[in-house]
């Protein structure tokens, strides 16, 4: 990933392995001392640490854990990982407020609320005396804002409806999530939001096997609006990573046999890449409307 100027982002397993295994992954990737897993990395031909900064505690945990169980696992996993490298950025898996999924853990649409209450949001995220003060720790809270669309060859009305849903739902979900975090974080710093998956999903494409989605020009315009909404809430959003670089939703490259095609999303990312990591500046223009000026003259 570093060859293309990207940072690696690793999600550790919360189902079939334990917290100690997650800590061993951090040690393998980032360890600098004479320890077992750091030496394994050296033996594998990598003398210097990879310095992986971003670590998710599982992925979409609401499919596998009740909110209370995930809260317990989160605390154990992050404690073990921080004890190896307290400088990493940790991402807690969450759910868009009010989302209803066909899973027994979230039939009431309250999984996110229950998880944050169980962990006491940031106060539970910072539940042990690690090496860094709370204000210096980097914690994010993730949810995946996916939007459905009936077809890539949509009508103009469907196109406007997709943009309207994005413009209405995403800011509302951001504001609701920030409110939930603020209500339960006590005096601890507010975690930032992380969108480590997002996008427009067209009907009829299974999310297993070949998940190649269409890449029409208008879906890149939809994605540009998604970026602009993130810019509008830059103070609350730390990460917005693209989930499907090749042959997935909003893919940058379509690859088939020996052919590689750059998509509209590729060119959109090229336009927006210089905005990453920048500061948002609020601009206000005060002047006399030109029509009034003309009337006065």
């Amino acid at each position: 990933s570093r060859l293309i100027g990207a940072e690696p982002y690793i999600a550790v397993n919360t189902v079939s392995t334990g917290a100690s295994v997650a800590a061993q992954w951090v040690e393998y990737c980032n360890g600098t001392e004479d320890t077992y897993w750091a030496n394994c990395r050296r033996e594998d031909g990598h003398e210097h640490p990879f310095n992986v900064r971003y670590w998710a505690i599982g992925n979409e945990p609401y499919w596998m854990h009740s909110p209370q169980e995930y809260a317990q696992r989160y605390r154990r996993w992050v404690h073990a990982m921080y004890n190896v490298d307290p400088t990493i950025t940790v991402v807690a898996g969450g759910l868009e407020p009010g989302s209803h999924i066909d899973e027994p853990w979230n039939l009431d649409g309250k999984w996110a609320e229950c998880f944050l209450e169980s962990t006491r949001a940031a106060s539970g995220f910072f539940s042990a005396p690690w090496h860094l003060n709370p204000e210096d720790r980097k914690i994010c809270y993730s949810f995946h804002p996916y939007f459905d669309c009936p077809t890539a060859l949509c009508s103009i009305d469907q196109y406007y409806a997709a943009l309207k849903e994005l413009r209405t739902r995403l800011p509302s979900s951001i504001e609701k999530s920030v409110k939930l975090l603020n209500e339960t974080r006590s005096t601890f710093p507010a975690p930032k939001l992380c969108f480590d998956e997002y996008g427009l999903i067209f009907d009829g494409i299974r999310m297993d096997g070949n998940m190649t989605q269409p890449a029409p020009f208008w879906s890149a315009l939809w994605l540009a609006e998604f970026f602009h909404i993130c810019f509008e809430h830059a103070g609350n959003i730390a990460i917005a990573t693209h989930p499907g670089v090749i042959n997935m939703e909003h893919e940058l490259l379509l690859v088939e046999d020996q052919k590689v095609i750059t998509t509209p999303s590729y060119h959109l990312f090229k336009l927006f890449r210089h905005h990453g990591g920048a500061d948002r500046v609020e601009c206000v223009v005060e002047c006399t409307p030109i029509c009034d000026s003309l009337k006065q003259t």
Side-chain angles (χ1 to χ4, degrees), residues 3-163:
L3 291 176
I4 61 171
E7 286 290 330
Y9 178 45
I10 297 177
V12 294
N13 192 330
T14 61
V15 177
S16 58
T17 63
S20 60
V21 175
Q24 289 163 4
W25 271 105
V26 177
E27 181 184 320
Y28 181 89
C29 292
N30 296 354
T32 59
E33 304 297 327
D34 182 17
T35 59
Y36 177 81
W37 289 105
N39 287 333
C40 285
R41 185 197 66 241
R42 295 182 181 105
E43 292 171 4
D44 289 337
H46 302 281
E47 175 64 29
H48 301 290
F50 297 121
N51 291 323
V52 177
R53 302 267 59 86
Y54 303 105
W55 297 81
I57 311 300
N59 179 65
E60 297 185 342
Y62 43 85
W63 294 112
M64 297 159 287
H65 306 294
S66 70
Q68 294 80 9
E69 180 190 34
Y70 178 65
Q72 294 175 354
R73 293 189 180 223
Y74 171 87
R75 283 194 289 263
R76 294 200 301 271
W77 264 243
V78 75
H79 182 97
M81 295 165 70
Y82 263 148
N83 279 339
V84 176
D85 184 352
T87 69
I88 60 176
T89 296
V90 174
V91 179
L95 187 61
E96 189 171 0
S99 293
H100 290 266
I101 57 175
D102 187 18
E103 189 66 22
W105 306 129
N106 189 54
L107 293 180
D108 61 355
K110 297 291 185 180
W111 193 97
E113 290 85 344
C114 291
F115 167 64
L116 292 176
E117 290 171 2
S118 297
T119 56
R120 304 184 312 283
S123 55
F125 291 175
F126 302 129
S127 60
W130 293 298
H131 307 291
L132 290 179
N133 293 323
E135 60 271 16
D136 296 322
R137 297 175 194 146
K138 302 178 181 67
I139 302 286
C140 293
Y141 176 74
S142 165
F143 68 85
H144 296 167
Y146 280 113
F147 295 75
D148 294 323
C149 188
T151 174
L153 300 175
C154 65
S155 67
I156 189 66
D157 290 338
Q158 290 173 323
Y159 165 64
Y160 284 130
L163 286 177

Side-chain angles (χ1 to χ4, degrees), residues 230-258:
C230 290
F231 293 155
E232 291 169 4
H233 296 82
N236 294 315
I237 299 173
I239 301 172
T241 63
H242 189 46
V245 176
I246 299 173
N247 290 15
M248 286 182 66
E249 64 275 3
H250 300 288
E251 57 267 275
L252 308 187
L253 301 173
L254 279 170
V255 179
E256 184 176 352
D257 298 327
Q258 300 298 312

